[in-house]
Amino acid sequence: MNSADLGRRVGVPSTALFTDQYELTMVQAALKAGTAGRRSVFEAFTRRLPEGRRYGVVAGIGRVLDAVENFHFDDEMLAFLRDQHIVDGPTLDYLADYRFSGDIWGYPEGEVYFPGSPILRVEGSFAECVLLETVILSILNHDSAIAAAASRMSAAAGGRRLIEMGARRTHELSAVASARAAYIGGFDTTSDLAAGFRYNIPTVGTSAHAFTLLHDSERDAFRAQVDSLGRDTTLLVDTYDVTAAVRTAVEVAGPELGAVRIDSGDLLLVAHRVRQQLDELGATGTKIVVTSDLDEYAIASLAAAPVDAYGVGTQLVTGSGQPTCSMVYKLVARASSADPADELLPVAKKSMGAKSSIGGRKWAARRLDEDGVAEAEVIGTGPVPPELAGRQLLVELVRGGEVVAREPLDAARERHIAARAGLPMSAMQLSRGEPVLPTEYV
């Protein structure tokens, strides 16, 4: 994969304590029992999609790779673990030298997934793999939920531009991750400068109602903005009276005005009126941007409106009602020793209800129909059928502890567009329904 144009590698602290205590106590007990070094395979997957969703979107793989690289215990962390009596001396010694040295395979970022899809497969010793569970799930559950919401909004937008603007509606760090996931899912720009700085996502932004209220008149505010940012700027026209504001905006900026933004009211009705007014004033090239608590359903309802772009905040960064993907990280195979030649034995939790899982180191492939449209997610533990050999989904991400698959964010974005286009048309429906592809085990 291309390693160019990856954005700025911003320094981050160690990710080693982004974990649950029981990961460390399991390592302690396994070290004492002599089983910590057993060769093991863990897989991240979800047993079901969020209610009503037809497909999932893989996002966060690049951040997982960063987290794995930065997973190490410094002296201050080790002192904390010692002082709090969380683990014993031999375990502290093990953690002091910890670096992941195993292999990771997974669905590439931007790919779609379904119930049971082995989205990430982590292989190494039990101890080194189990320590990564919490941080991997934290990233994948959050980012994939945001990307899925973004994908639905992108499909509903039908090619119109989408602006991510949810930074003020979530934690400051999750805002950056959300902007990244939204870009993968089909958004075009973000208002969050940290996301633009770190991931090279295009950034946009002009002014809020406060800027208009600051000035003695709306005309003064528009004049100040145009003088500073040029005629191609976007003027916010719903602070007072929309009709008067549109007239003033064109008088100040001329017909070259870039865009107007509407942030309140009956957006369908107001957009039609504003478009008619702009055209009558000669500003036929001026675009209309709408904001105001939009989600995929509101975007779809505006399909007939003369809208050029949507700005989405709260509903996007909260997953549009589904803020997690319920992914789990399970041991599916293990050997009886650390010997690479030792046979891997499939293991699985046996449970009543919906918490059972399937043991074995898995592969996944997507079967297509005669028209080239996906018809099934096929998962197996044995040999890959020859007809599916060229349709396998997992790619190598980490080899011997070294990341081998970094790529530009645009590659993930383009992959998602292609993956979504390869699904049956019913995948784009916003109505509740079952996953658009069945999962078949062979």
Side-chain angles (χ1 to χ4, degrees), residues 219 222-223 226 230-233 235 246-260 278 281-286:
R219 182 179 295 274
F222 289 172
R223 172 56 63 194
V226 170
R231 296 177 185 273
D232 196 40
T233 191
L235 296 176
V246 170
R247 184 186 313 110
T248 301
V250 175
E251 288 174 356
V252 169
E256 301 84 12
L257 174 62
V260 296
L278 286 169
L281 293 170
T284 55
T286 300

Side-chain angles (χ1 to χ4, degrees), residues 338-377:
D339 186 348
D342 201 356
E343 180 185 3
L344 284 171
L345 306 172
V347 295
K349 172 183 178 180
K350 290 185 178 180
S351 175
M352 300 293 290
K355 281 201 168 185
S356 61
S357 57
I358 297 174
R361 182 180 185 271
K362 299 177 192 65
W363 53 263
R366 191 159 297 146
R367 190 174 68 239
L368 309 182
D369 65 16
E370 60 274 13
D371 296 318
V373 178
E375 66 176 8
E377 193 88 339

Side-chain angles (χ1 to χ4, degrees), residues 170-185:
T170 188
H171 185 280
E172 64 271 17
L173 298 182
S174 70
V176 181
S178 294
R180 182 184 185 280
Y183 189 68
I184 291 170

Side-chain angles (χ1 to χ4, degrees), residues 17 73-84 92:
L17 292 186
F73 295 84
D74 60 28
D75 291 343
E76 190 172 3
M77 291 177 176
L78 294 169
F80 164 75
L81 296 175
R82 181 186 62 248
D83 295 344
Q84 298 299 315
L92 289 171

Side-chain angles (χ1 to χ4, degrees), residues 118-197:
I119 295 165
L120 203 70
R121 191 177 73 216
V122 183
E123 306 182 26
S125 71
F126 173 83
E128 66 179 336
C129 293
V130 78
L131 285 173
L132 299 176
E133 174 181 6
T134 303
V135 71
I136 284 175
L137 289 179
S138 175
I139 293 170
L140 291 182
N141 270 312
H142 173 270
D143 290 23
S144 297
I146 305 306
S151 179
R152 285 161 61 85
M153 293 174 189
S154 173
R160 294 172 177 177
R161 295 183 66 79
L162 289 162
I163 307 163
E164 185 282 314
M165 48 196 305
R168 64 190 60 196
R169 303 301 189 196
T170 188
H171 185 280
E172 64 271 17
L173 298 182
S174 70
V176 181
S178 294
R180 182 184 185 280
Y183 189 68
I184 291 170
F187 274 61
D188 300 283
T189 56
T190 179
S191 66
D192 191 305
L193 289 178
F197 174 79

